């Protein structure tokens, strides 16, 4: 069975230095890399134009309204001597956060020394850095971690999902998200929100040096789910019989309205996939226009929302050539399905009343019941450690809150 033609995977994370109750993000980049033939991927909101503050020349298109997305949280993971790192997540009950497994695990039993959840009553006039605290920010500690038992710690893994249990309830002004009942996300528009890295230039230069801005300011953008690796169109092309599994990873691309930067369409060409379907609008789509954007470093674990409900969790970024790296146009983003992991998520949320809210009238369906049978080849993925550990993915993290 064929696998990725030539795909490399890279995971990057931002380091943070703890300063009392706040965190100043350093310019240290932690990277992990895996190779899949032609493809480079990183486990980690950059828009068409600047996502800086308004005062810094940023577009208001990517800045939420007052009180929006209160259920989207910043996460600060303290790994002791190994440093501290930031991700994003989504509140799904009074005490529970869904995020990416790679934010809190390397695929082993080890967990952070401590994790803090940051809730922000967003005010566009303030547009504060959530990790700096302040009167509109509430911090809550994490008391427990439920990492998917099949998560391997590799960059691309359909089981890159975790549920965090907080030590106390979220603030009363925060609205939890419901889980989306949608199993097929193909062609659906979604909204992404998060506290990750930003850009002064948008997708033209992404988060390259001189254009990247800091983490910690809430941003939002839109995109489309183009396909998943396990789509029947591929007839098993992307399947892998050994961990990690990839079937339920959904791919979106960062379009700018041109064929040259139509990432999903160009991926089919790069992989040598032939057939009318691979040149159809399913894969070849020029984007959502001015509101199109993607997650960046520090957005790992944040939510992709369809009709206001949590449909997927941000996992990694990928590209075929260096000109698409650093959150630039043409890049691909991978997210893991929430509906596929509904059984795992609800099993980590013990309150029956919350279960009823999350299930939304649907019968509980365990992820294992829908897992497709796999056969064939071994994984080509290889990982490289830097700074002694594999860490949450992203792209280069500029320091501080930025402009």
């Amino acid at each position: 069975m064929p696998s990725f033609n030539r795909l490399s995977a890279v995971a990057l994370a931002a380091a943070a230095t703890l300063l009392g109750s706040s965190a100043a993000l350093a310019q240290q980049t932690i990277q992990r890399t895996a190779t899949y033939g032609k493809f480079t991927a990183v486990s980690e909101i950059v828009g068409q134009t600047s996502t800086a503050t308004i005062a810094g020349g940023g577009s208001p298109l990517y800045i939420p309204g007052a009180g929006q997305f209160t259920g989207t949280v910043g996460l600060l993971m303290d790994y002791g001597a190994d440093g501290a790192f930031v991700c994003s997540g989504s509140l799904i009950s009074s005490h529970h956060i869904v995020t990416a497994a790679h934010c809190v695990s390397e695929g082993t039993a080890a967990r952070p020394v401590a994790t803090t959840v940051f809730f922000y009553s967003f005010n566009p006039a303030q547009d504060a850095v959530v990790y700096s605290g302040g009167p509109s920010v509430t911090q809550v500690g994490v008391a427990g971690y439920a990492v998917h038992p099949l998560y391997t710690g590799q960059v691309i893994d359909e089981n890159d999902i975790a549920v965090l249990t907080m030590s106390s309830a979220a603030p009363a002004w925060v609205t939890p998200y419901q889980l989306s009942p949608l199993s097929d996300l193909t062609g659906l528009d979604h909204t992404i929100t998060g506290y990750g890295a930003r850009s002064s230039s948008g997708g033209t230069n992404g988060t390259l040096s001189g254009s990247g801005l800091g983490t910690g300011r809430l941003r939002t953008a839109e995109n489309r789910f183009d396909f998943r690796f396990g789509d029947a169109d591929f007839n098993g092309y992307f399947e892998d019989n050994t961990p990690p599994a990839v079937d339920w990873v959904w791919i979106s691309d960062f379009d700018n309205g041109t064929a040259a930067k139509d990432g999903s369409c160009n991926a089919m060409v790069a992989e040598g996939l032939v057939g009318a379907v691979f040149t159809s609008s399913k894969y070849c789509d020029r984007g959502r226009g001015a509101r199109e954007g993607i997650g960046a470093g520090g957005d790992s674990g944040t939510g992709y929302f369809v009709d206001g409900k949590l449909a997927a969790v941000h996992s990694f970024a990928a590209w075929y050539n260096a000109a698409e790296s650093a959150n630039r146009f043409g890049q691909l983003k991978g997210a893991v399905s929430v509906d596929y992991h509904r059984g795992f998520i609800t099993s980590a949320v013990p309150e029956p009343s919350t279960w009823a809210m999350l299930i939304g009238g649907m019968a509980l369906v365990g992820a294992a019941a829908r897992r497709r049978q796999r056969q064939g080849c071994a994984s080509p993925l290889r990982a490289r450690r830097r700074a002694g550990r594999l860490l949450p993915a992203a792209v280069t993290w500029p320091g501080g809150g930025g402009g």
Side-chain angles (χ1 to χ4, degrees), residues 4-345:
F4 301 98
N5 192 8
R6 204 181 77 190
L7 169 63
S8 296
V10 184
L12 306 135
T17 302
L18 297 180
L19 300 174
S21 61
S22 66
L25 300 184
Q27 290 189 337
Q28 178 183 356
T29 298
I30 308 299
Q31 175 176 319
R32 74 180 158 159
T33 304
T35 300
Y36 300 82
K38 292 184 179 176
F39 207 131
T40 300
V42 307
S43 273
E44 353 149 314
I45 271 180
V46 174
Q48 298 279 309
T49 54
S50 175
T51 47
T53 61
I54 296 298
S59 171
L61 288 174
Y62 311 108
I63 299 178
Q68 286 189 313
F69 306 114
T70 56
T72 297
V73 303
L75 299 173
L76 175 63
M77 286 68 62
D78 179 5
Y79 281 88
D82 286 335
F85 307 88
V86 292
C87 283
S88 298
S90 303
L91 183 75
I92 60 167
S93 82
S94 62
H95 286 73
H96 296 92
I97 304 291
V98 171
T99 189
H102 75 252
C103 293
V104 296
S105 172
E106 297 179 1
T108 69
R111 299 292 179 265
V113 174
T115 298
T116 304
V117 180
F118 291 77
F119 294 94
Y120 181 28
S121 180
F122 186 77
N123 183 337
Q126 295 176 345
D127 195 14
V129 176
V130 69
Y131 300 113
S132 297
S136 299
V137 176
T138 300
Q139 302 180 34
V140 181
V142 168
Y145 304 86
V147 174
H148 197 287
L150 298 180
Y151 175 61
T152 63
Q154 304 288 9
V155 176
I156 300 180
D157 188 333
E158 69 183 15
N159 301 305
D160 184 15
I161 191 167
V163 178
L164 312 183
T165 300
M166 296 186 296
S167 57
S168 60
W173 45 265
V174 178
T175 302
Y177 297 111
Q178 292 186 338
L179 303 189
S180 172
L182 300 172
S183 59
D184 185 3
L185 302 177
T186 307
L188 296 182
D189 290 349
H190 64 260
T191 299
I192 179 173
T193 66
Y195 287 97
R198 297 165 295 117
S199 171
S200 61
S201 70
T204 301
N205 293 315
T207 50
L208 289 173
S209 178
S211 293
L213 299 174
T215 61
R217 299 187 195 272
L218 185 64
R219 292 295 183 266
T220 179
E222 296 173 358
N223 210 302
R224 186 187 87 147
F225 293 108
D226 291 337
F227 64 94
R228 69 178 177 90
F229 283 141
D231 194 294
D233 292 346
F234 301 122
N235 194 30
Y237 181 83
F238 291 111
E239 288 181 352
D240 214 274
N241 194 41
T242 58
V246 300
D247 281 11
W248 288 91
V249 171
W250 290 90
I251 300 297
S252 304
D253 64 6
F254 194 12
D255 294 295
N256 68 351
T258 69
K261 296 299 182 181
D262 189 353
S264 293
C265 188
N266 294 335
M268 302 303 105
V269 175
E271 295 294 343
L273 297 172
V274 178
V277 67
F278 299 121
T279 58
S280 71
S281 60
K282 178 176 180 179
Y283 298 94
C284 300
D285 173 85
R286 302 292 175 83
R288 314 269 64 73
R291 276 274 297 159
E292 173 139 342
I294 54 173
D299 289 316
S300 280
T302 202
Y304 289 37
F305 302 96
V306 177
D307 297 328
K309 297 182 179 181
L310 181 62
V313 174
H314 185 55
S315 181
F316 64 89
W319 57 88
Y320 281 91
N321 63 71
E324 299 162 355
S325 66
N327 298 298
R328 286 177 285 175
F329 292 127
Q331 190 171 102
L332 307 177
K333 294 293 181 176
V336 299
S337 166
V338 163
D339 183 68
Y340 181 64
H341 292 301
R342 183 177 297 271
F344 163 72
I345 295 171

